[in-house]
Amino acid sequence: MQSIGLIGGMSWESTSHYYTKLNQTIAKVKGGLHSAPLWLHSVDFAPIEVLQREGKWEEAGHQLASAACALERAGAQGIALCTNTMHKIAPMISAAISVPFLHIAHATAQALLKDSVTEILLLGTRFTMEEAFYKEVLVQHGIRVHVPKEIMEINRIIFEELCKGKIDTSSKVYYQNTIKNHLLAHPTTQGVVLGCTEIGMLLSPQDAPVPLFDTTDIHVEAIVKFMLS
């Protein structure tokens, strides 16, 4: 197996799911006592979140690129960033390392096309929903991307609740209603991309009338495929 270096902590709640799901999947595929050979660099999210809000993406990028280089020096044969939002600075990470960078949006686009889904609603942080860095990857694969009008409340729930491990039933209902309202206005939408690695903590496949694409699960699948290649 090839080893993987994970840059996590944004938030640690979702990173813990990466660790669990990677090991569970490797154990299932390989059998016996097999587990995932990996290195994890988990950052303190509070300073990173401040840099996000202040628009200091380059400074945040240098920090994560440094983490990626450290993982490569430790022996990681590939690097994965366990967050959607910070893929805004993915080019900085890719430029800093000589091993493959496993991009979450590319993996998501491939998963959508595998299921013949070409029109989606994207849920995530306000940065992911408002800015181009994530959407443009999907668009380049021929996927039409919608974002909801309820951007700020969706963002608030992520940062004030999900990143802290808080699961609120009223927030789940809010997300469900957002999806339903969007489908009423855009009935050709074929699926919903949970474009924040924490949203899968709140929504399950049965919680929406169209397929939900959990980017954490999709990214884990792509990482496992790389490890076993």
Side-chain angles (χ1 to χ4, degrees):
M1 282 188 288
Q2 298 198 89
S3 59
I4 192 74
L6 304 177
I7 306 173
M10 299 164 282
S11 67
W12 73 263
E13 290 282 351
S14 64
T15 302
S16 69
H17 291 285
Y18 268 86
Y19 182 80
T20 299
K21 290 177 179 181
L22 279 170
N23 281 291
Q24 286 176 338
T25 306
I26 290 293
K28 181 178 180 180
V29 173
K30 298 283 287 185
L33 296 176
H34 284 287
S35 55
L38 61 82
W39 283 263
L40 171 61
H41 185 118
S42 188
V43 304
D44 179 4
F45 188 30
I48 298 291
E49 189 274 332
V50 171
L51 294 176
Q52 289 178 344
R53 281 190 285 112
E54 295 180 349
K56 298 179 180 178
W57 295 99
E58 187 171 357
E59 185 175 340
H62 284 305
Q63 291 186 30
L64 299 189
S66 177
C69 290
L71 291 168
E72 182 178 0
R73 289 194 300 271
Q77 294 166 288
I79 302 295
L81 181 58
C82 304
T83 164
N84 286 276
T85 299
M86 292 311 295
H87 274 72
K88 180 176 172 67
I89 52 83
M92 294 182 66
I93 295 176
S94 295
I97 58 178
S98 60
V99 295
F101 177 75
L102 308 182
H103 199 294
I104 195 170
H106 286 294
T108 299
Q110 291 164 6
L112 291 169
L113 295 179
K114 182 180 178 182
D115 286 355
S116 301
V117 172
T118 56
E119 185 172 353
I120 59 97
L121 172 66
L122 175 63
L123 303 180
T125 66
R126 65 182 179 91
F127 308 108
T128 301
M129 291 188 286
E130 290 180 340
E131 300 187 28
F133 70 92
Y134 195 92
K135 293 182 288 187
E136 67 186 4
V137 175
L138 302 183
V139 171
Q140 288 167 4
H141 284 79
I143 297 163
R144 184 179 181 187
V145 181
H146 299 278
V147 295
K149 62 180 184 298
E150 301 89 346
I151 286 176
M152 296 312 294
E153 180 62 9
I154 289 170
N155 184 79
R156 185 199 67 77
I157 290 169
I158 291 170
F159 282 98
E160 295 184 13
E161 298 176 15
L162 300 181
C163 285
K164 299 177 181 179
K166 180 181 178 182
I167 308 300
D168 191 308
T169 300
S170 64
S171 295
K172 178 176 182 175
V173 172
Y174 186 87
Y175 272 59
Q176 288 178 298
N177 287 337
T178 296
I179 294 169
K180 290 176 183 176
N181 291 337
H182 173 82
L183 292 174
L184 288 173
H186 303 277
T188 55
T189 301
Q190 298 166 282
V192 178
V193 169
L194 307 184
C196 172
T197 53
E198 285 83 16
I199 299 179
M201 298 161 55
L202 190 65
L203 295 179
S204 300
Q206 66 271 18
D207 293 327
V210 293
L212 299 181
F213 292 84
D214 187 334
T215 52
T216 301
D217 290 343
I218 290 169
H219 205 196
V220 165
E221 183 178 346
I223 294 168
V224 169
K225 182 177 180 180
F226 167 81
M227 295 176 77
L228 296 176
S229 64

